[in-house]
Amino acid sequence: MNLPGKTPKTSSSPSVAIALGAGGARGLAHIHIVEVLDELGIRPVAIAGSSIGSIIGAGMAAGMTGREIREYASGNLGNRGEVMARIWRSRPASLSEMMSGGLRAQLNIERILKAFLPEGIPGRFEDLSIPLQVTATDYFGHELIVFDKGELLPAVAASAAIPALFKPVQSEGRLLVDGGLFNPVPFDLLQGKADIVIAVDVAGGPTTVRRSAPSALDLMFGTSQLMMQANTALKLRMMQPDILLRPPVSRFRVLDFLKVDAVMAETASIKDELKRQLERAFSGEKTLVPDIR
């Protein structure tokens, strides 16, 4: 079977669902995936996202095109002055609020997202044009939480609440942190929901590209990467998506959002890889799970 091309796929074509993984700024590579699906006229029937994947997934589920997401990200993250202005606008409203968490000075991820997300993103899951599932980790409950209804912003904030950097999100008596801790690439949530499930792993891993000794922050994020790799490897032994993509993101740090254009340039090859794997998947061929890069 040929790929749909630039026209929307017909009802007889295989349905597609997509899981967008966790990885901080590395997850900007997800935008390439959205662009390819747009180019081929493929509209996913379901989306699942963890951490940065939940943010890109929310934009996609709201009806934004890959081009719109790229332009928005480049215009708002590639400009240091604009980034600092938005972070300043998301600062605590009072000294007492700033000190409420003690001297740890963790950022409020809900305020940050409210300052950065496009205005067109709906307030509730029910108003999205594509069904979306968002993961978070229940810190004291020791379990994965999956959101798919109700208020969207708190769910996405919980999914992206990187420990030690952002304050956990309180929800229904639970303390929620980064969804990537328990489920870095939530393709398992899409099993049975589409003929073809695409999973995009942007966790990356510690790299020796930089010769300087890793800082304490690099070590913290690097060990998180290793944990996410281990979790994903374990899940892949039990089940596999139809397509697994791993863009070359390891040289970028978790917080390298200002390098949005560099991330996009370095990971552009994933577009052709997705097209090749979609061609195989639409023709019924099996694809191999790639190594972590």
Side-chain angles (χ1 to χ4, degrees):
M1 179 182 294
N2 294 326
L3 289 175
K6 293 186 178 181
T7 58
K9 72 182 185 68
T10 65
S11 58
S12 60
S13 300
S15 58
V16 173
I18 185 165
L20 303 174
R26 303 180 185 102
L28 293 167
H30 289 318
I31 298 172
H32 290 306
I33 310 305
V34 185
E35 289 180 324
V36 169
L37 296 181
D38 290 342
E39 180 183 340
L40 298 177
I42 298 174
R43 178 182 170 86
V45 297
I47 303 169
S50 287
S51 201
I52 184 65
S54 73
I55 298 173
I56 302 295
M60 188 181 189
M64 293 182 71
T65 65
R67 180 177 179 179
E68 288 170 339
I69 297 174
R70 178 197 284 258
E71 291 177 349
Y72 188 87
S74 182
N76 290 278
L77 298 178
N79 184 322
R80 182 180 294 273
E82 179 65 21
V83 169
M84 296 310 297
R86 287 175 182 262
I87 291 177
W88 175 253
R89 290 198 295 270
S90 67
R91 71 192 186 280
S94 66
L95 179 62
S96 61
E97 182 182 348
M98 182 176 68
M99 300 300 291
S100 63
L103 297 177
R104 291 165 292 185
Q106 294 168 308
L107 298 171
N108 186 313
I109 182 63
E110 288 190 70
R111 286 180 180 269
I112 294 288
L113 286 179
K114 194 169 185 179
F116 278 93
L117 286 178
E119 293 182 0
I121 302 294
R124 299 182 64 83
F125 280 89
E126 291 82 357
D127 296 325
L128 296 169
S129 60
I130 300 174
L132 172 69
Q133 293 174 284
V134 166
T135 69
T137 300
D138 184 343
Y139 181 77
F140 289 115
H142 311 167
E143 64 178 344
L144 180 73
I145 302 296
V146 179
F147 293 97
D148 60 2
K149 59 185 177 182
E151 291 187 81
L152 181 62
L153 180 61
V156 173
S159 185
I162 299 172
L165 179 63
F166 297 116
K167 291 180 180 179
V169 173
Q170 299 274 357
S171 175
E172 299 181 355
R174 297 174 300 204
L175 195 71
L176 303 178
V177 295
D178 196 338
L181 298 177
F182 259 41
N183 199 341
V185 192
F187 62 85
D188 53 306
L189 302 181
L190 301 174
Q191 298 300 310
K193 294 188 176 183
D195 300 312
I196 298 171
V197 174
I198 303 171
V200 190
D201 181 1
V202 293
T207 176
T208 58
V209 170
R210 295 186 300 273
R211 295 187 178 183
S212 58
S215 66
L217 196 61
D218 287 332
L219 286 170
M220 182 182 73
F221 288 142
T223 52
S224 294
Q225 286 176 283
L226 295 174
M227 180 184 67
M228 288 193 290
Q229 287 181 9
N231 285 346
T232 299
L234 179 61
K235 187 165 62 175
L236 286 170
R237 293 191 186 102
M238 298 183 289
M239 66 179 72
Q240 292 193 3
D242 299 285
I243 296 174
L244 176 61
L245 301 169
R246 284 180 167 135
V249 294
S250 289
R251 84 171 184 88
F252 295 100
R253 291 182 167 98
V254 170
L255 300 180
D256 274 347
F257 287 99
L258 285 169
K259 297 181 180 179
V260 52
D261 294 330
V263 174
M264 295 299 292
E266 183 111 348
T267 58
S269 61
I270 204 64
K271 299 181 78 168
D272 287 337
E273 175 65 20
L274 174 56
K275 290 176 183 178
R276 286 193 295 268
Q277 292 213 38
L278 279 170
E279 186 72 48
R280 296 190 193 104
F282 271 69
S283 65
E285 294 181 35
K286 293 293 183 180
T287 58
L288 298 176
V289 175
D291 293 331
I292 294 175
R293 286 181 255 179

